[in-house]
Amino acid sequence: MDASLLTIQPSSPEPIYRQIVEQLRRLIAAGQLTPGELLPSVRDVAGFHAINPMTVSRAYGMAESEGLLERLRGKGMAVAQTHRATQSQAQRLALLEPQLLALARQANELELPADPVLRRLAKLLGE
């Protein structure tokens, strides 16, 4: 895995460490990160995204405590061997549920009809 695979949004209300954990969760669920695959070092991720190394360390620690990652002596962090690499489509959709609820709430607050929101989402998914 390359540090550029993670997308960090500093202006997001979600803490950066949670952004990292959520992305790792999704990448593992989709099979884009496979069991045993090494993650970039804390220093590499922090340097690439210009964030505090403690933030990355916290995210890796949280993902490790959830069983997503495992620490390999002398090698760093890797995707846990015991974690199932791919999940069903329903399980992967469940990971999006909080963001979909937030999107629906925001669209309603802006009084936007569903059609243009769905068209825009479809366009973004196609990119």
Side-chain angles (χ1 to χ4, degrees), residues 44-98:
D44 288 346
V45 174
F48 183 84
H49 293 287
I51 58 176
N52 189 317
M54 290 303 296
T55 301
V56 180
S57 182
R58 183 177 184 185
Y60 280 11
M62 182 179 266
E64 182 181 21
S65 70
E66 290 180 18
L68 296 172
L69 303 179
E70 61 187 357
R71 194 174 309 273
L72 301 178
R73 185 175 298 170
K75 293 184 179 182
M77 297 296 274
V79 176
Q81 292 288 345
T82 57
H83 191 77
R84 208 171 101 223
T86 56
Q87 296 179 353
S88 71
Q89 183 176 8
Q91 290 170 315
R92 289 180 286 148
L93 277 171
L95 292 173
L96 286 178
E97 192 68 20

Side-chain angles (χ1 to χ4, degrees), residues 12-71:
S12 171
E14 183 176 29
I16 292 173
Y17 76 93
R18 284 192 184 155
Q19 291 180 41
I20 294 170
V21 173
E22 287 298 320
Q23 287 180 60
L24 290 172
R25 195 177 286 133
R26 289 189 296 265
L27 291 167
I28 293 168
Q32 292 184 48
L33 293 178
T34 58
E37 185 173 346
L38 291 174
L39 273 65
S41 71
V42 167
R43 187 178 302 179
D44 288 346
V45 174
F48 183 84
H49 293 287
I51 58 176
N52 189 317
M54 290 303 296
T55 301
V56 180
S57 182
R58 183 177 184 185
Y60 280 11
M62 182 179 266
E64 182 181 21
S65 70
E66 290 180 18
L68 296 172
L69 303 179
E70 61 187 357
R71 194 174 309 273

